[in-house]
Amino acid sequence: MSRSDIARRRFLAGALPALAAGGLTLWPGAAALGRSNAAASCGSEALACLFRSRESAVRLGRAYLRQHPEEADQAALERLVFARLDGLRPDTASGLAALKRSFESARRQDFDCGAVVQLGGFMLSRTELRACALVALG
Amino acid sequence: MAIVDARSLDDGSTVTADICVIGAGPAGIAIAERFKQTSTRVVLLESGGLDADADTQALAAGEVVGRPYPDLDSARLRLLGGTSNHWGGNIRPLDPIDFTERAWVPHSGWPFGADELAPYYPRAAAFCKVPFDAFDVGKQTELMSASPWDFDGGSIRSQVFQTVGIDSRFFGELYRGDLQDAANVTTYLYANVVDIETDDLMARVERLKARTLTGKSLTVEASFFVLATGGIENPRLLLAANKKQQAGLGNANGLVGRFFMEHLTSPQFGELFPADPQLNLDFYKGRDVNWGHSWGILSFTEEAQRTAGLLNGRFQTATVLNEFNKHFETSDGLKSLKTVASAAGRSRVPDDLGRHVANIIADIDDVAESGYYRAFYYPDYPLVSVDMVMICEQAPNPESRVTLGEPRDALGMARPVLDWRLTELDSQNLRKASAELQRQLGRSGLGRLRIDMPDGAFDEVDPKPHYHHMGTTRMHDDPKKGVVDANCRLHELPNFFVAGSSVFPTVGNVNPTLTIIALAFRLADHLAELKT
């Protein structure tokens, strides 16, 4: 394993709290949104609410986009992600709880059906990485 | 009758018995225990004495070719109790799938199923002073006041291991009194078997020749003989008994010494980053109990092994990194302290001890500041990550073998040569198993596993051996596929039996000692039937 590989793996381990340690935990700014059950205003903003650390989600998203530059299109990514979320749409009122449920379900399905990506030694769900990529692009 | 120093006998003495057991390790002592205070006269031959002896230990030396392996005279011990004298004490029965023929594992399958050993495992656990119900997951849950992790119907299950307490682990010490007091058992120390003699028709073994390092010779005549000297010495003695048959005893089909297997651990495996920083590790870390230590492991369900074509492996939690100790991660001294402490816990000396000591001295401030316990087990801080270790069965491989070399030991016996080899299946399995564990941890939401081993698995790194020597006189109903039959009898000789892990056709993911003892009790019962 090269030095750059090691550095990359450490970098991603640092970013993992977005998913592994804090996956689907609200980041502080989203708490009020959750309590008021307010509608998500747009795709990336709604998804950003799912991560404890927006910064970590951005890091993972960028790493994913480096591996899949062909997906670096916000509108296309939004379609791909929300297609996996039980019909929820970024431009319609969706409670955060429903979004969280759908996201958890999609993530699990990804692992079940092999829609996963190896990144820096981790196996991550494609949907969650695309969500991170959306946050990064947003 | 007694424990006798064979060096004190008259040269050329002959003793007779109903059963002669060669080797006073876990298997040999278990057989002697089975017959104590019965009418069966048992002679137990031990190469060493009551304590370690350098000259005797040197008889165990041999050559290592192929995969790197610890020096053979450090991996096995010659004294009463045998290799139990540096045993880590970890026990658990094999899984039912380990006994079956698996299409994806060449040469797999025992001649009988798990049911056959079921009555013997509780006896083996009792021999180790461990209650058999301690292996029950429900019992462990109750004992730990902690549940196993919930994989939500996934392919991972939790199981329970026991570590035998230090007072019950060294069978030579533990059962010395019994051997001393048993009226029908005589144990001869410093008696090294140098030849196994058959009748002229090679239809049965008539006697053994033993010698001491002081030059005395001893002949043992018996109705039945049991070879119980471990996975390297068993084939060595059979191959060396070649006066009448050039290939050695029981080796008409060239199988003696083949299929040497170990348990495989990648030096690096993976690190779990828990989703919940308060993830409860208690079930797996376990706790000290009256009989030793009780702790948990993760393994793939049998259905998952079948579906994914996996070898049987287990995963253990190791070093815990939390918010308290995470800044110690970069200290070489603490890493070395962890390695040394971990090895000492298993009564081992780590590879490259000098470097570790130098690291500890160089980083003495970190080491002193943290203290080992505080650095690696300090509780109650939010988790950052947990090192995971994988221990896997090795796929049976006829090219992995023990043979005889040219050099001779002090008694003129050919030294063993160990050529340990893996197959591509072992590396493939490590990659498949790690991906499957990653998948299961991800889908269950428990966390994410970062795989730290190289992509090439065992093509790039050498596995860490466990001093488990298995498979070299494998059991099979067909003489063309096994050295011994289902009763552990040499196919070619009706009164000669083999005990120990050398008869295992496959080895599962568990440490072998409990199964060695269970098989020894089963063999002893069989011998008792034969005798009557």
Side-chain angles (χ1 to χ4, degrees), chain A residues 76-96:
Chain A
L77 263 180
E78 215 166 78
R79 279 196 301 277
L80 285 169
V81 171
F82 280 88
R84 303 276 293 116
L85 300 182
D86 290 340
L88 295 179
R89 290 163 51 89
D91 55 348
T92 57
S94 309
L96 205 56

Side-chain angles (χ1 to χ4, degrees), chain B residues 72-122:
Chain B
L72 297 187
D73 53 348
S74 72
R76 303 159 299 144
L77 297 180
R78 289 184 173 227
L79 68 157
L80 191 69
T83 301
S84 74
N85 287 292
H86 70 179
W87 180 36
N90 295 329
I91 58 171
R92 186 186 151 70
L94 288 167
D95 294 324
I97 196 171
D98 297 324
F99 295 90
T100 63
E101 187 174 347
R102 293 165 284 169
W104 64 98
V105 185
H107 310 288
S108 60
W110 289 51
F112 48 76
D115 289 351
E116 179 65 27
L117 278 192
Y120 297 100
Y121 273 127

Side-chain angles (χ1 to χ4, degrees), chain A residues 2-137:
Chain A
S2 69
R3 258 177 200 286
S4 61
D5 278 346
I6 293 167
R8 191 163 132 267
R9 290 158 76 87
R10 284 190 178 153
F11 170 83
L12 286 166
L16 205 70
L19 302 172
L24 306 181
T25 303
L26 303 184
W27 59 289
L33 193 61
R35 276 198 300 275
S36 66
N37 201 28
S41 58
C42 74
S44 61
E45 282 308 305
L47 293 171
C49 295
L50 295 170
F51 302 114
R52 176 191 290 172
S53 161
R54 186 185 185 113
E55 185 193 350
S56 296
V58 167
R59 274 202 267 171
L60 284 169
R62 285 180 182 154
Y64 177 71
L65 289 173
R66 273 196 297 277
Q67 200 178 86
H68 294 277
E70 74 282 4
E71 292 194 13
D73 175 319
Q74 191 165 1
L77 263 180
E78 215 166 78
R79 279 196 301 277
L80 285 169
V81 171
F82 280 88
R84 303 276 293 116
L85 300 182
D86 290 340
L88 295 179
R89 290 163 51 89
D91 55 348
T92 57
S94 309
L96 205 56
L99 187 62
K100 183 176 168 178
R101 268 198 311 276
S102 295
F103 195 78
E104 276 180 343
S105 169
R107 185 165 67 174
R108 185 187 169 110
Q109 282 172 22
D110 279 358
F111 280 107
D112 280 340
C113 71
V116 293
V117 177
Q118 287 286 349
L119 206 60
F122 291 101
M123 179 187 281
L124 302 168
S125 127
R126 190 172 288 278
T127 301
E128 68 190 358
L129 279 172
R130 282 175 170 159
C132 288
L134 256 180
V135 175
L137 290 174

Side-chain angles (χ1 to χ4, degrees), chain B residues 149 266-274 279 281 284-285 296 298 314-322 325 329 334-335 338-339 342 372 375-377 383-390 437 441 448-453 464:
Chain B
W149 296 342
S266 173
Q268 308 95 31
F269 180 66
E271 202 172 350
L272 169 64
F273 290 77
L279 179 67
L281 300 174
Y284 305 96
K285 285 292 176 195
L298 302 169
R314 73 177 197 250
F315 305 96
Q316 297 175 197
T317 57
T319 306
V320 173
L321 202 66
N322 60 28
N325 64 18
E329 190 187 20
L334 281 164
K335 285 182 192 166
K338 182 179 72 171
T339 303
S342 167
Y372 178 74
F376 296 105
Y377 291 106
L383 292 173
V384 174
S385 65
V386 181
D387 267 349
M388 302 294 290
V389 175
M390 182 180 183
L437 182 62
L441 286 164
R448 300 304 161 83
L449 180 73
R450 184 179 68 192
I451 295 299
D452 294 330
M453 68 169 185
K464 290 174 76 169

